[in-house]
Amino acid sequence: MASKQNFGAVVITGASSGIGEASAIYLDKLGYQVFAGVRRDADGEQLRRKTSVRLTPLLLDVRDEASIIAAANTVSAALNTVGLAGLVNNAGIVVAGPLEFLPVAELRKQLEVNVIGQIAVTQAFLPLLRKAQGRVINIGSDNGKVSVPFLGPYCASKFAMEALTDALRMELQPWGIEVSIIEPGTVTTPIWDKSITLADDIWNKLPPQAHKLYSAAVDATRNTANKLGKNGFPAEVVALAVAHALTAKKPKTRYVVGLDAQINIWLAKILPDRLLDKLIIQYLGLPKNP
Ligand SMILES: NC(=O)c1ccc[n+]([C@@H]2O[C@H](COP(=O)([O-])OP(=O)(O)OC[C@H]3O[C@@H](n4cnc5c(N)ncnc54)[C@H](OP(=O)(O)O)[C@@H]3O)[C@@H](O)[C@H]2O)c1
């Protein structure tokens, strides 16, 4: 078990499950005062049962500006004059579907949660981060480097986080505020089941023409996602990278977590586009002639 020291305070968004929850538990064990972002009181209570009394659930919906401001005020009041050692922008959803038919509102939702929300939260907590020369840790994905069919909205959101992380890192450099991005591969968390449910909801509302054109490909992608989600690595592995980014004297700018992510990102770097396309299409088992 990790040794306990007082590392200061950290805010984690989306701590009700998966990587956010694992990070909250691990950072609490390390000795951080964790403010764990959740959207329901019950989720906060459940998390409290797994941690020390230091952990405080924080109601925070990254799509809701009033909720973000209220959360920042709550943390500011609790910390009094002390600043924030870290902000972990982890909250995320997966919107999937064929781009030809995907309702634009769904694309908007994807970008609002995974991109706009992260920056809105960062803006709200930066005054507190400045006080303690705290750090920002964004949870990206290997899909921020490799885009795949039917996951276009999600990949776009993670590519955007790569760009925003780089810009923010350079902008905040004068004040010694470090900004890192974590790029995990496949992690077994509830996001896989949630994303399949959401994708099915979207899919069922698409017009017959969409079904005629994309049924076989979408079915194949769903099957692959189902298998992948059950065979990922545990969220605790990502929590270790989050802790490194928070505590290391010189944190890495990027943390590629998992062999799958390392291979995917490396292949995307070295292969010509059309060869990479071919590999991805084969891997997903997409039909050649739908
Ligand atoms: N699992 C993977 O394979 C994987 C790989 C690479 C990157 N990631 C990234 O890791 C992050 C965490 O995902 P996860 O796999 O741990 O999935 P997860 O278990 O589904 O966790 C997602 C978290 O985000 C929260 N969330 C969703 N919408 C929100 C909103 N509007 N405001 C605030 N919180 C919101 C969820 O809260 P509710 O319970 O209230 O919905 C939940 O706590 C995401 O950014 C994801 O893209 C995951």
Side-chain angles (χ1 to χ4, degrees):
M1 200 214 276
S3 68
K4 285 196 182 84
Q5 293 174 40
N6 188 2
F7 283 111
V10 60
V11 169
I12 305 174
T13 65
S16 70
S17 62
I19 293 168
E21 182 191 34
S23 299
I25 292 171
Y26 186 61
L27 296 179
D28 173 69
K29 259 188 203 149
L30 281 181
Y32 279 95
Q33 180 183 4
V34 176
F35 292 91
V38 291
R39 292 195 293 171
R40 287 166 296 272
D41 287 325
D43 291 334
E45 281 157 27
Q46 209 177 356
L47 185 56
R48 281 287 309 257
R49 285 197 273 276
K50 299 175 189 166
T51 66
S52 78
V53 289
R54 263 192 321 272
L55 183 136
T56 309
L58 183 67
L59 283 177
L60 176 51
D61 184 327
V62 304
R63 270 181 100 187
D64 177 350
E65 223 173 299
S67 154
I68 295 171
I69 291 166
N73 288 340
T74 302
V75 174
S76 178
L79 294 180
N80 202 358
T81 55
V82 182
L84 198 56
L87 167 65
V88 184
N89 283 312
N90 164 76
I93 59 168
V94 177
V95 173
L99 289 169
E100 183 175 356
F101 293 98
L102 186 88
V104 170
E106 298 295 340
L107 178 58
R108 231 174 235 132
K109 182 164 85 183
Q110 173 73 88
L111 297 178
E112 270 177 22
V113 176
N114 287 24
V115 184
I116 315 282
Q118 316 302 315
I119 296 303
V121 169
T122 304
Q123 288 178 350
F125 284 100
L126 261 171
L128 284 173
L129 288 163
R130 280 185 180 281
K131 277 193 193 170
Q133 210 179 61
R135 295 179 176 183
V136 180
I137 291 112
N138 293 326
I139 307 296
S141 164
D142 58 352
N143 285 129
K145 295 280 180 63
V146 189
S147 191
V148 294
F150 308 110
L151 269 186
Y154 179 72
C155 297
S157 77
K158 295 300 184 183
F159 269 68
M161 283 315 291
E162 293 285 334
L164 292 168
T165 300
D166 286 340
L168 192 65
R169 186 180 64 250
M170 290 183 266
E171 289 174 21
L172 296 178
Q173 190 200 11
W175 299 279
I177 297 171
E178 298 279 1
V179 184
S180 302
I181 188 163
I182 316 275
E183 300 165 344
T186 303
V187 190
T188 297
T189 71
I191 208 168
W192 291 87
D193 285 344
K194 288 188 220 170
S195 68
I196 291 170
T197 305
L198 181 59
D200 285 346
D201 274 0
I202 295 171
W203 176 248
N204 291 334
K205 289 180 199 138
L206 296 187
Q209 177 74 348
H211 288 225
K212 196 169 154 219
L213 293 170
Y214 290 108
S215 266
V218 165
D219 282 350
T221 309
R222 187 193 294 105
N223 288 340
T224 308
N226 233 330
K227 278 185 223 142
L228 272 178
K230 290 180 177 60
N231 294 297
F233 54 86
E236 287 70 20
V237 179
V238 187
L240 295 179
V242 170
H244 189 278
L246 277 171
T247 55
K249 200 163 171 220
K250 195 164 183 238
K252 295 184 192 179
T253 55
R254 302 189 141 70
Y255 290 80
V256 182
V257 184
L259 186 62
D260 57 340
Q262 276 165 20
I263 293 171
N264 293 344
I265 291 172
W266 176 70
L267 286 176
K269 214 181 240 176
I270 62 155
L271 292 183
D273 288 344
R274 291 193 194 285
L275 183 53
L276 184 64
D277 291 355
K278 215 172 171 178
L279 282 182
I280 293 171
I281 286 167
Q282 254 174 28
Y283 179 76
L284 291 174
L286 302 190
K288 277 200 184 109
N289 303 304

